[in-house]
Amino acid sequence: MSLAKPWRDLDRSTVGSAPDRYALYELGDADGDTVGFGAGVLRDELKEALAYGDAAKVRWELADSLDHAERLLAEHTDG
């Protein structure tokens, strides 16, 4: 299930402005179709996603801890 947040372009500007906090994130292609989900420290995860170039867009939901981010991930991928 997709996050109910607006897409942002996955570029250096977005990565640089992303919070350095745990989060659930969703990656999308240029058309806004989901290509994957992940959980972790958002800025670090987005740096890696940008380097691999498999996604064009991103949206996220901040979490209080890694455990919280992983619970959010489970809710969005198991449902």
Side-chain angles (χ1 to χ4, degrees):
M1 172 179 17
S2 293
L3 294 174
K5 305 273 184 175
W7 286 111
R8 300 170 191 236
D9 291 333
L10 180 55
D11 56 24
R12 289 175 22 173
S13 174
T14 299
V15 172
S17 66
D20 197 20
R21 292 185 45 195
Y22 289 110
L24 162 67
Y25 62 91
E26 178 179 4
L27 299 173
D29 64 14
D31 295 325
D33 296 323
T34 300
V35 297
F37 286 92
V41 176
L42 184 61
R43 189 174 298 157
D44 294 342
E45 296 287 327
L46 296 186
K47 283 179 189 176
E48 188 171 326
L50 182 61
Y52 283 108
D54 294 335
K57 298 179 181 280
V58 65
R59 53 187 166 195
W60 62 78
E61 184 171 332
L62 295 177
D64 298 323
S65 65
L66 180 57
D67 183 57
H68 183 206
E70 289 173 343
R71 283 195 316 270
L72 292 171
L73 177 62
E75 290 171 10
H76 282 83
T77 57
D78 291 343

